[in-house]
Amino acid sequence: MSSVSKHDVLDLGAWDVVSGKTMSLIEEKASISTGIPADLLMENAGRVVADCVEKGLSPNHLVTVVVGTGNNGGDGWVAARHLLARGVTVQVLDVADKGVASTPLVALNKDRAILAGIRRSSKFSFDGSTVIVDALLGTGTKRSCSGLFARAISAINRVKSSCRIVAVDLPSGIDASSGRKWGEAVIADETICLTLPKVGLLVHPGKAHAGEIKVGNIGLSQVCSSIPPEGQLLTSAGARSWLPKRTPDGHKGDYGHVLVVGGGKGKIGAAILAAKGAFGIGAGLVTVGCGAGGLSSVSSSCCEAMTISLAEDADGNFDAGSHVNILAEQNRWSALLVGPGLGRGGASASLVQSLARNIGVPAVFDADALHAIAIEPECIRARNEMSILTPHPGEAAALLGTSIEEINSRRVESAREIASNYNAIVLLKGATSLIATSANPVWFNWSGGPILSTAGTGDVLAGVVAGLLAQGLEGLKSAVLGAYIHGICGDQLSQEVGSVGIRAGKLAEAIPNAMGILNERKEQKVDLSRGVVAFPEP
């Protein structure tokens, strides 16, 4: 083991997340600059896999380790040898890729395991197995599986209901850098990440195949510190440290004033939900700018909010002069949110573009405002103040002039591209929301779930982010923390009512409680020097 570093004992604010390419660079640098032999790293990897697999086993349980010809297979041979030495009944199914010989290091560990007495199997049925260790394919997978590899993956998945399936580093068939499935992929109960979690385990479909994620230290901590990661993931410790602080003598004026512009004809509820989200996260004041027809709804449904009337045309759409009242009072606002329920009729696009150009406060652009920005990107690019865009995949496709399918197949790259093209922070919503800038690592948000897949939850999220901005939290932290808290509200409601049927208004009401629970959580120190630890989901 290397000496203890920042990656060994952690009251983690965030986990670093890496691609398969970066993990390869870390391993290469380790052999060149540190002198750590590759054989020792493989030995450490196999040992931590054995540590994880051994838990809960009795002598009459059978572990089958499925190995390929690459380094992932070498880790599997080492794990099998360690398990055998601990009295576990173990066998290895060696799946050889035609024409591809094992590397010398893998061949060495295969010979060691066989000399130690490892029993080999040629069966794909896994009869009698309690645990299957998937050490078939590793982080270098870039093509669909075929032949014996495809047969092995299918056989593993067929016995999922009766066997515990543990994947080494990532499930075979999943791309480490994108989460893409290369043909059929193993559906694991647990994945033991070696050194750091991989990008492909945090985004779908890879996330759905990973099961519980654990992280194992194999001695590369010092090297990790010198190579920038592709991503980061906020933890509860980090979220606590970012929450805006309150003073005993604070008053509403100390915690910012959010202006929500939206709630066009038939959509006033979206603006109300955004206002409730801003209040829930702690904004001191919220004003809703909407058409005359929505003023009474705001007053009755969110009586804490103030209102400002925006001009409408004869059809109830915002007209060309609707921005005048806002600009006349712009010194009142600490943060601007434009888009929830805005609509695309009348002069709504020109309203968005005018506000983007002329209001000098941090701003969140959501929903229909994003379509207006796609028409005239320069209104965002030229802003001196920070901008946050919060698209779902359809809106992201409009911003990039591409398809939803393309966005979903390249989520990390798409988020970065929007951030770069529009000179903005981007919160790309989805099953794993991503927060990107043009330069920093992408932040992954793993809180939340299917319960958030209902109308209005995105409006609440936009209000939460704007409310954090209004309280003075800087832009990137507002987007990352906003997504995190929004997600844990959903998680807590799921525990109460299940994964369906929640209304967005209930989500907004849950925000203060979620922050209270977050503040009450005890610090959790993670000691990676001990081998394998559970990956701390939110």
Side-chain angles (χ1 to χ4, degrees):
M1 288 290 172
S2 63
S3 61
V4 173
S5 79
K6 72 170 187 174
H7 286 285
D8 286 327
V9 180
L10 304 161
D11 49 354
L12 275 172
W15 279 90
D16 287 345
V17 181
V18 296
S19 67
K21 180 179 179 181
T22 294
M23 195 64 243
S24 296
L25 289 174
I26 290 171
E27 292 168 353
E28 289 172 13
K29 185 170 182 179
S31 63
I32 295 170
S33 64
T34 68
I36 301 173
D39 189 16
L40 177 58
L41 294 176
M42 188 168 286
E43 185 71 18
N44 288 343
R47 177 180 49 76
V48 297
V49 170
D51 290 344
C52 180
V53 172
E54 183 186 17
K55 292 178 181 177
L57 293 179
S58 63
N60 61 328
H61 287 153
L62 172 64
V63 175
T64 299
V65 183
V66 185
V67 302
T69 52
N71 285 345
N72 199 249
D75 298 338
W77 282 110
V78 175
R81 176 165 50 81
H82 276 278
L83 288 168
L84 183 67
R86 299 175 193 184
V88 176
T89 304
V90 60
Q91 64 181 8
V92 173
L93 172 59
D94 187 0
V95 181
D97 192 356
K98 289 183 179 179
V100 179
S102 298
T103 66
L105 182 57
V106 174
L108 173 65
N109 280 292
K110 176 179 178 179
D111 290 343
R112 287 172 175 170
I114 292 171
L115 286 172
I118 288 294
R119 179 162 57 96
R120 285 180 286 178
S121 171
S122 59
K123 297 180 180 179
F124 285 81
S125 63
F126 305 116
D127 290 340
S129 295
T130 302
V131 180
I132 298 174
V133 177
D134 167 26
L136 190 61
L137 297 169
T139 57
T141 304
K142 290 292 179 185
R143 60 184 175 85
S144 294
C145 300
S146 59
L148 291 177
F149 283 83
R151 182 182 170 192
I153 291 172
S154 295
I156 291 171
N157 287 340
R158 279 198 299 272
V159 297
K160 177 171 174 56
S161 61
S162 59
C163 289
R164 172 182 160 217
I165 299 174
V166 180
V168 178
D169 223 13
L170 75 164
S172 292
I174 294 297
D175 190 296
S177 302
S178 69
R180 172 180 175 178
K181 282 175 61 176
W182 291 102
E184 190 168 7
V186 168
I187 304 171
D189 296 299
E190 302 165 37
T191 297
I192 308 168
C193 287
L194 302 176
T195 304
L196 288 172
K198 311 304 184 289
V199 171
L201 299 176
L202 303 184
V203 292
H204 286 282
K207 181 179 175 182
H209 284 250
E212 181 185 1
I213 294 180
K214 298 178 179 179
V215 179
N217 181 16
I218 65 171
L220 294 175
S221 301
Q222 291 178 325
V223 182
C224 292
S225 301
S226 65
I227 296 179
E230 278 82 5
Q232 292 186 300
L233 186 140
L234 188 66
T235 67
S236 58
R240 266 193 308 278
S241 71
W242 288 2
L243 284 172
K245 303 300 184 287
R246 299 263 163 164
T247 60
D249 60 345
H251 58 85
K252 63 185 179 183
D254 293 331
Y255 305 117
H257 190 165
V258 176
L259 172 64
V260 178
V261 177
K265 185 177 181 181
K267 298 180 179 180
I268 189 60
I272 293 170
L273 288 168
K276 289 182 175 181
F279 273 128
I281 203 66
L285 298 161
V286 179
T287 293
V288 176
C290 61
L295 297 176
S296 61
S297 294
V298 175
S299 297
S300 60
S301 298
C302 187
C303 61
E304 302 88 349
M306 296 177 282
T307 57
I308 184 170
S309 181
L310 306 183
E312 298 174 303
D313 61 24
D315 296 322
N317 298 308
F318 295 114
D319 76 6
S322 54
H323 64 282
V324 173
N325 288 354
I326 296 172
L327 296 180
E329 301 186 56
Q330 63 172 295
N331 291 335
R332 294 174 57 194
W333 330 120
S334 308
L336 171 69
L337 166 56
V338 189
L342 185 74
R344 301 185 205 173
S348 61
S350 64
L351 168 62
V352 173
Q353 294 155 7
S354 176
L355 294 178
R357 289 194 194 92
N358 295 301
I359 289 197
V361 297
V364 179
F365 297 90
D366 182 48
D368 292 325
L370 298 169
H371 290 274
I373 290 167
I375 295 169
E376 191 178 336
E378 193 57 34
C379 71
I380 291 294
R381 293 173 185 155
R383 274 177 55 80
N384 292 323
E385 294 289 337
M386 185 275 311
S387 303
I388 299 177
L389 312 184
T390 58
H392 57 51
E395 292 154 352
L399 289 168
L400 291 180
T402 187
S403 66
I404 294 175
E405 291 74 21
E406 178 69 10
I407 295 294
N408 285 334
S409 68
R410 300 175 63 253
R411 283 181 58 81
V412 173
E413 296 86 349
S414 296
R416 281 192 178 279
E417 189 175 346
I418 296 169
S420 179
N421 287 359
Y422 289 87
N423 188 32
I425 296 164
V426 174
L427 198 173
L428 178 57
K429 294 178 285 193
T432 298
S433 292
L434 307 176
I435 301 90
T437 66
S438 58
N440 295 311
V442 172
W443 286 80
F444 295 81
N445 183 66
W446 216 5
S447 63
I451 198 169
L452 299 176
S453 301
T454 188
T457 58
D459 302 311
V460 174
L461 172 59
V464 167
V465 175
L468 290 168
L469 285 177
Q471 293 173 75
L473 192 64
E474 64 104 356
L476 182 60
K477 287 184 176 180
S478 292
V480 174
L481 181 60
Y484 180 91
I485 290 176
H486 181 260
I488 61 174
C489 287
D491 292 337
Q492 289 167 16
L493 289 171
S494 290
Q495 293 176 8
E496 296 173 13
V497 302
S499 61
V500 297
I502 194 70
R503 292 179 293 106
K506 186 74 171 176
L507 185 72
E509 293 170 4
I511 296 169
N513 185 56
M515 289 194 294
I517 292 173
L518 185 60
N519 272 319
E520 290 170 4
R521 286 182 182 172
K522 294 181 179 179
E523 296 289 339
Q524 293 183 336
K525 298 240 181 230
V526 180
D527 187 357
L528 280 181
S529 66
R530 301 189 178 209
V532 181
V533 299
F535 186 63
E537 296 185 40

